[in-house]
Amino acid sequence: MSEHFDAIIVGAGQAGPPLAGRLTAAGQRVAIVERKLIGGTCVNNGCIPTKTLVASAHAAHLARRGGEYGVATGWISVDMVKVKDRKEGIVLADRKGVEDWLEGMDGCTVVRGHARFIDPHTLRVDDRELHADRIFLNVGGRAVVPDVPGLADVDYLTNVSILELDTLPTHLVIVGGSYIALEFAQMYRRFGAAVTVVERGPRLASREDEDVSATIKEILESEGIAIILGADDVRIAKTDNGFELTPRAGADPIVGSHLLMAVGRRPNTDDLGLEAAGVQTDARGYVVVDDALKTNVDHIWAMGDCNGKGAFTHTSYNDYEIVAANLLDDDPRRVSDRITTYALYIDPPLGRAGMTVGEVRASGRKALIGTRPMTRVGRAVEKGETQGFMQVVVDAETDQILGAAILGVGGDEAIHAILDVMSAKVPYTTLSRTMHIHPTVSELIPTMLQEMTPLD
Ligand SMILES: Cc1cc2nc3c(=O)[nH]c(=O)nc-3n(C[C@H](O)[C@H](O)[C@H](O)COP(=O)(O)OP(=O)(O)OC[C@H]3O[C@@H](n4cnc5c(N)ncnc54)[C@H](O)[C@@H]3O)c2cc1C
């Protein structure tokens, strides 16, 4: 016999739990199904553990640089067991917070297990059959394991298993040169490991402008991270103490002790029985949704990483807000209303909003560009953290800000001043004429906007 609910949410990631909160508050009976850990990727093996480790790595880095600030320090050592304990404590507290909230939520049933559709309104979880009027998918994604010759013969790490390490690798080799790869690269270098990043393309963080990619590379190389680009034929061979990785034909092999594969993510939609519900996916397995996140099946929605509309915690949470607004508030919020924004948490971080300079150029519109190196940002100089630069592009005809990058100390926070002005759809002069607090990184944003020149 099947159990009936008003709504079933599959996956307790970043969108599912808050949606359960809104639906139950509206008097609905909701089942939320989770096959692994409540909180999903962000809480358990994504943002929260990595940013916790980035903070430990930053502490080690600053301690080593103590002399520059007149602070005497001795030999700096990193206790990986304590680093991991700190990370575990923060992750567990966060997961428990979401778990307790869901378990104590009136009208909400937490079901543990793997959910799979058996018909458009019914999911099977072990020996239970759950039936609902509406179904919301929040199944997230996982690391891609590429078809690399020799990979199956060695023990390799992903973003999940590397978080279990409590010892320092002698030489961590990371395949991939994007956000996840770069964050792990810098943190492990700062913990004391030798680190090599092996990227197939011609530059790191290839979604960014070339000057941003080049500066990221400089920042990482200045800390002793080896970077190999153009690794278009990676091959791996097991050795007695680890492995050898050859990045391309004819290149010298790199001898490593630990291998992290960080070459991208794929959606968890292959084992959900979507065909039994008639839900469409695209060629890469993402659930196809409209601008309000509804699938081709009228009573099924998809939120978060599994719909391919975003790959971040904030996009997943924003998806929840869009679904709740449309269903419960008679408020027609849309995915296309939001502005692309994210950060890369190397140190200094990169904060991004809107279009890149390359995208603006390719669009052919007339634009103005403003750039300022962090060496000319007083707060960065005072802090002794002057790597990077900030850049903004403005539409020369409408005066709207089109995009910005702040690669520098505080860039992940300061970018919001620009993002909010973009979101308000007001001219850039609203920001360039606002008095900001001295001394901050943000105070130079108005100055940068006052000194723009035409974009070639
Ligand atoms: C190393 C790393 C660092 C990151 N850092 C950041 C960052 O700094 N900032 C940022 O914004 N984003 C970051 N991200 C991305 C972010 O973690 C994800 O975008 C976000 O967690 C996606 O949330 P979600 O709600 O889509 O799904 P998830 O959080 O992945 O949750 C999906 C849940 O569904 C469950 N599930 C899947 N299939 C089933 C099924 N059939 N039955 C039952 N349950 C199922 C899974 O077990 C999982 O718990 C990072 C990711 C990684 C890997």
Side-chain angles (χ1 to χ4, degrees):
M1 241 224 2
S2 73
E3 302 164 58
H4 183 77
F5 296 89
D6 296 310
I8 298 172
I9 299 168
V10 185
Q14 291 302 303
L19 185 65
R22 280 299 312 273
L23 293 173
T24 53
Q28 299 193 18
R29 288 188 60 238
V30 175
I32 184 162
V33 192
E34 174 52 56
R35 68 180 178 190
K36 281 189 188 145
L37 300 171
I38 300 273
T41 308
C42 171
V43 171
N44 298 292
N45 38 55
C47 333
I48 291 177
T50 53
K51 269 76 257 181
T52 304
L53 295 173
V54 162
S56 288
H58 181 251
H61 182 66
L62 209 53
R64 286 191 196 101
R65 291 183 57 208
E68 292 175 39
Y69 299 84
V71 178
T73 48
W75 169 251
I76 304 300
S77 65
V78 177
D79 181 337
M80 292 301 289
V81 173
K82 282 198 180 150
V83 167
K84 186 183 170 207
D85 281 353
R86 176 174 182 276
K87 182 265 298 177
E88 294 280 281
I90 291 170
V91 166
L92 289 179
D94 211 293
R95 184 196 310 153
K96 189 170 178 319
V98 188
E99 229 158 20
D100 290 350
W101 180 47
L102 286 175
E103 301 278 5
M105 193 180 279
D106 276 349
C108 180
T109 305
V110 179
V111 180
R112 307 279 179 162
H114 177 90
R116 183 186 287 271
F117 279 100
I118 51 176
D119 69 46
H121 281 280
T122 316
L123 291 142
R124 175 165 293 138
V125 183
D126 298 323
D127 53 2
R128 291 170 80 169
E129 278 185 17
L130 313 178
H131 181 274
D133 302 334
R134 289 173 171 157
I135 296 174
F136 301 90
L137 306 176
N138 178 218
V139 292
R142 61 184 187 274
V144 166
V145 177
D147 191 12
V148 170
L151 184 62
D153 305 330
V154 296
D155 292 330
Y156 62 89
L157 301 162
T158 66
N159 68 290
V160 177
S161 47
I162 195 170
L163 295 171
E164 297 309 313
L165 285 188
D166 61 4
T167 53
L168 191 66
T170 318
H171 184 183
L172 175 64
V173 179
I174 301 177
V175 179
S178 201
Y179 310 84
I180 293 173
L182 301 181
E183 290 177 12
F184 278 114
Q186 190 184 44
M187 83 174 70
Y188 269 92
R189 180 66 194 138
R190 290 179 169 191
F191 290 152
V195 175
T196 301
V197 172
V198 179
E199 159 60 37
R200 183 171 54 179
R203 58 193 175 93
L204 298 176
S206 58
R207 200 194 297 186
E208 307 304 334
D209 283 315
E210 284 187 25
D211 48 1
V212 172
S213 291
T215 307
I216 290 172
K217 183 165 177 279
E218 266 171 44
I219 290 168
L220 297 179
E221 284 179 334
S222 72
E223 295 188 24
I225 296 169
I227 293 169
I228 296 174
L229 300 173
D232 56 7
D233 189 14
V234 170
R235 285 161 192 276
I236 295 161
K238 192 172 165 53
T239 62
D240 288 345
N241 300 326
F243 61 91
E244 284 185 353
L245 181 149
T246 313
R248 67 179 87 84
D252 287 339
I254 304 156
V255 178
S257 62
H258 293 69
L259 177 64
L260 170 65
M261 298 304 292
V263 296
R265 313 269 307 159
R266 57 177 289 195
N268 289 326
T269 53
D270 48 336
D271 51 5
L272 197 51
L274 287 176
E275 54 296 336
V279 173
Q280 274 175 11
T281 53
D282 69 13
R284 296 168 64 210
Y286 290 101
V287 179
V288 177
V289 288
D290 66 14
D291 213 13
L293 301 167
K294 196 181 269 195
T295 68
N296 62 306
V297 179
D298 209 39
H299 65 276
I300 304 179
W301 286 256
M303 307 175 292
D305 284 11
C306 69
N307 66 24
K309 299 268 183 196
F312 300 99
T313 284
H314 46 276
T315 48
S316 181
Y317 189 81
N318 187 251
D319 283 1
Y320 138 68
E321 291 185 324
I322 290 168
V323 169
N326 280 277
L327 280 179
L328 301 168
D329 303 334
D330 196 22
D331 178 0
R333 290 180 64 176
R334 295 282 177 266
V335 179
S336 52
D337 291 339
R338 69 189 182 204
I339 298 165
T340 301
T341 190
Y342 51 86
L344 161 64
Y345 291 92
I346 59 162
D347 174 37
L350 167 69
R352 278 268 301 109
M355 299 168 85
T356 61
V357 178
E359 285 166 349
V360 173
R361 256 197 203 102
S363 76
R365 62 183 103 192
K366 279 195 185 152
L368 301 169
I369 184 165
T371 306
R372 192 167 193 94
M374 296 306 283
T375 47
R376 292 183 57 216
V377 173
R379 190 71 201 275
V381 175
E382 291 143 18
K383 286 186 160 189
E385 300 188 42
T386 53
Q387 290 171 309
F389 65 98
M390 47 170 105
Q391 192 149 275
V392 65
V393 224
V394 169
D395 189 306
E397 274 155 15
T398 64
D399 283 353
Q400 302 278 311
I401 300 178
L402 298 171
I406 305 183
L407 173 56
V409 60
D412 52 333
E413 299 289 348
I415 194 71
H416 289 89
I418 296 176
L419 178 66
D420 292 345
V421 167
M422 292 172 73
S423 177
K425 296 190 170 57
V426 290
Y428 79 90
T429 44
T430 312
L431 182 51
S432 66
R433 293 175 188 183
T434 300
M435 180 180 73
H436 280 193
I437 298 167
H438 172 76
T440 58
V441 172
S442 302
E443 80 177 313
L444 272 308
I445 295 174
T447 316
M448 172 172 66
L449 286 164
Q450 290 157 17
E451 295 173 349
M452 292 188 295
T453 54
L455 177 68
D456 328 312

